[in-house]
Amino acid sequence: MSTDKNNTLSKEFSKLAKHFLPSDLLIQGIETLGEMKKNVILLDNALQELSLSSDLTASQLKNVTEEAFRLGDATGKSGTEILSYINSAKKAGYDIEQSMTLTQEALKLSNISPGIDNMDSAIEYMKNMMQNFGKDTDFTPAINDALVGVSRSGTVDFDTLAQGASKLAKSAGEAGLSFEEMLGLLTGAYDVLKDMDQVTSGEAAMFSSLKEAYGDTKNIYNLLAHLSVVWDTLDDSSKKSFAISSAGEGQQQLFTALMENWHGVEQAVQSASYSFGAADEANTQYVDSIAGKTAQLQNQMQQLSASLIDSDLIKFFLDLGIEGTEAIDTIVNKFGSLTVLGSLMGGYLSAKNLGRANTDSCPSFNMPSLSCFSWIQGFYGRSCAIHG
């Protein structure tokens, strides 16, 4: 294509831009492109850190990046944030698959819990539970599901239950309890005493007393279930002495609360055990909130930015000195066709009631009488989807 033709088309493209892009919109566009550049740099830094902490190939890094953006949409976070969390988990000794699972469930936890509202705390919470109950990252979805399931069906709210579980986890694991059984004992006692600090400290002490009194037991929950059957056969005087001999005088009130509300304990264990998918439902409520939608938009902006890593395209937008036809060629090569670019532009134009261009509203171009965007289509022989 000759230089004269390039110059002519450059002028015509500038005329079209002037007609459809008011100065304030042009400024907004340049600011948006600057934000895109920043997103690309952040993404590149996150990928470099992940590549240094892992032995992933370029293809595997690409797959991890795509999964990070998918998780961003699902959890209301940005893809770059998620990559940094995956990298933190990888540095902690987990493989890439485990790191992604841990990150996903920690993201849900931080979304659901007002008290565990940052990723560092959420990851540490998950690691604490895995360590004390001898589980791996495959167990992390059950942690969230059980907490949500019990808090929805009982009298204890999510954060109070989660904090109680964090404090009791070590003692519960040593006492042979499952995570679900621990939640049942926490809930059953809290229903009566309404003080989670009293419950957690008391149950830790009670577990020790029961292990001393019944040295051959491997699971304190099973022992308590058996004792609850005995409890129902006793009179009031016998119950008092039975509570003291079993749990110690200091935990008489707590032991009595559990025995009297053993049905509530079992109901909570049931809720925890059959709660699959509960955390996803709770997480969806966050993602549908204003905060979640805002984060989703940021994630989608980063995805768009990632698709623009082509250095020629960025240079075009930054230098603003490229010839018009070269600019269009660069855009077309990046997006595959003007259809994709048109769809992106069309959303904004439609919102401004500018979604349909016709020859009456077009400036005078030195070319056949076509709509402005049909001119581009005709020149390149490509489909253009600007029309709203």
Side-chain angles (χ1 to χ4, degrees):
M1 197 173 286
S2 67
T3 302
D4 289 342
K5 190 170 185 179
N6 278 344
N7 290 335
T8 300
L9 289 172
S10 177
K11 292 176 182 177
E12 298 302 337
F13 188 78
S14 297
K15 190 185 297 184
L16 181 148
K18 181 178 180 181
H19 181 74
F20 281 98
L21 299 178
S23 59
D24 59 336
L25 179 56
L26 182 60
I27 292 171
Q28 290 176 18
I30 293 172
E31 290 175 346
T32 298
L33 292 165
E35 186 68 20
M36 285 181 172
K37 179 186 177 184
K38 184 176 74 174
N39 286 336
V40 169
I41 292 171
L42 290 172
L43 176 60
D44 184 59
N45 290 340
L47 286 171
Q48 285 190 46
E49 287 187 22
L50 184 58
S51 67
L52 290 174
S53 65
S54 66
D55 55 356
L56 297 177
T57 65
S59 176
Q60 289 171 325
L61 279 172
K62 178 177 180 293
N63 291 338
V64 170
T65 302
E66 291 174 350
E67 181 65 12
F69 282 123
R70 185 195 69 78
L71 288 180
D73 283 335
T75 57
K77 296 291 188 295
S78 74
T80 301
E81 282 182 291
I82 291 174
L83 283 172
S84 69
Y85 302 144
I86 292 172
N87 188 47
S88 296
K90 186 71 178 65
K91 288 180 178 178
Y94 298 98
D95 64 31
I96 194 65
E97 185 175 347
Q98 292 171 332
S99 297
M100 293 179 75
T101 300
L102 176 57
T103 295
Q104 178 172 350
E105 295 306 318
L107 282 165
K108 289 181 190 176
L109 179 60
S110 66
N111 286 346
I112 297 168
S113 171
I116 309 173
D117 58 356
N118 67 80
M119 275 297 290
D120 289 338
S121 298
I123 287 176
E124 283 303 312
Y125 187 94
M126 290 294 179
K127 287 168 63 178
N128 178 39
M129 293 303 157
M130 287 188 288
Q131 178 181 350
N132 286 310
F133 289 97
K135 302 290 187 177
D136 58 23
T137 55
D138 289 339
F139 174 63
T140 54
I143 296 174
N144 283 330
D145 284 339
L147 287 169
V148 173
V150 174
S151 63
R152 281 182 173 177
S153 61
T155 60
V156 57
D157 64 86
F158 184 95
D159 263 12
T160 300
L161 182 61
Q163 290 165 12
S166 180
K167 293 177 181 178
L168 190 61
K170 187 175 187 299
S171 296
E174 292 172 348
L177 274 65
S178 69
F179 181 72
E180 293 80 5
E181 289 168 346
M182 177 188 70
L183 295 185
L185 292 177
L186 286 170
T187 303
Y190 182 84
D191 285 348
V192 178
L193 302 177
K194 305 300 183 185
D195 184 337
M196 187 57 79
D197 287 337
Q198 180 185 356
V199 170
T200 53
S201 60
E203 290 192 351
M206 183 184 70
F207 294 162
S208 295
S209 297
L210 288 171
K211 282 191 289 185
E212 289 179 8
Y214 302 89
D216 59 343
T217 186
K218 294 182 179 180
N219 184 308
I220 293 298
Y221 179 86
N222 291 340
L223 172 62
L224 287 168
H226 173 72
L227 294 179
S228 71
V229 176
V230 176
W231 181 267
D232 290 338
T233 66
L234 302 176
D235 57 29
D236 290 344
S237 176
S238 297
K239 284 180 178 179
K240 180 178 180 180
S241 59
F242 183 68
I244 294 173
S245 63
S246 296
E249 189 168 0
Q251 306 312 321
Q252 177 192 346
Q253 183 185 20
L254 173 67
F255 183 85
T256 300
L258 285 171
M259 294 297 101
E260 292 292 338
N261 189 36
W262 192 253
H263 177 66
V265 172
E266 291 179 322
Q267 281 188 319
V269 173
Q270 186 84 352
S271 295
S273 301
Y274 296 94
S275 57
F276 179 80
D280 286 335
E281 294 177 10
N283 181 67
T284 298
Q285 293 177 8
Y286 166 81
V287 174
D288 287 341
S289 69
I290 293 175
K293 289 298 183 185
T294 301
Q296 268 193 327
L297 181 60
Q298 174 64 19
N299 182 53
Q300 290 160 8
M301 181 65 178
Q302 287 192 353
Q303 291 181 67
L304 177 59
S305 302
S307 74
L308 300 177
I309 293 180
D310 186 306
S311 61
D312 290 335
L313 183 57
I314 291 176
K315 183 178 179 182
F316 157 65
F317 285 124
L318 294 180
D319 293 348
L320 296 177
I322 195 169
E323 293 291 345
T325 53
E326 291 179 273
I328 298 174
D329 276 334
T330 303
I331 294 170
V332 170
N333 289 336
K334 187 62 195 176
F335 286 95
S337 76
L338 288 177
T339 301
V340 180
L341 180 62
S343 296
L344 294 173
M345 293 176 63
Y348 184 88
L349 293 173
S350 295
K352 298 294 184 181
N353 291 321
L354 294 172
R356 183 170 297 278
N358 55 48
T359 54
D360 295 333
S361 63
C362 282
S364 175
F365 291 106
N366 298 321
M367 57 195 69
S369 178
L370 297 170
S371 74
C372 301
F373 298 109
S374 292
W375 163 68
I376 298 176
Q377 174 188 348
F379 183 81
Y380 279 93
R382 298 175 183 270
S383 172
C384 183
I386 289 293
H387 294 307

